[in-house]
Amino acid sequence: MTIKAEKCLIYTGDSPVKARVNIVLDDMFIIKGVKIIDGKQGMFIAMPDYYNRTHGVFRDVCHPMNNDCRIAMQEAALAAYDDALAQLEGEGEGE
């Protein structure tokens, strides 16, 4: 399976959410709004979610079926994040 991350939207400020990316699986399925979060143990991804009013909790809209898939998705998302940061820094140097 090919996993790509695209359209990385960087957030500024003190929030632990640093960016959102779209993850594309095999050029056939897209997961929009995957969050990149800076946690206590480092950067990780969080799937898009919704609030379940009945139970008062947030639930993922979708999620990887195994850890290998999660790792591959996270690596793609963090690489896209690093590329977007580098591009922003490159644009800032031209001023």
Side-chain angles (χ1 to χ4, degrees), residues 1-2 6 13 15 19 23-24 29-30 32 37 39 44-45 47 50 58-60 65 67 73 85 89-90 93-94:
M1 174 187 308
T2 59
E6 58 184 31
S15 171
I23 294 182
V24 180
F29 190 83
I30 188 166
K32 292 188 172 191
I37 299 174
F44 66 95
I45 61 171
M47 295 294 118
Y50 68 96
F58 284 92
R59 302 270 186 205
D60 287 347
M65 292 295 291
N67 198 43
M73 291 171 72
L85 280 179
E89 290 172 1
E93 291 175 1

Side-chain angles (χ1 to χ4, degrees), residues 14 17 19 24 29 33-34 50 71 73 75 81-83 86:
D14 294 335
V17 178
V24 180
F29 190 83
V34 175
Y50 68 96
I71 289 169
M73 291 171 72
E75 287 174 351
Y81 176 70
D82 290 341
D83 290 346

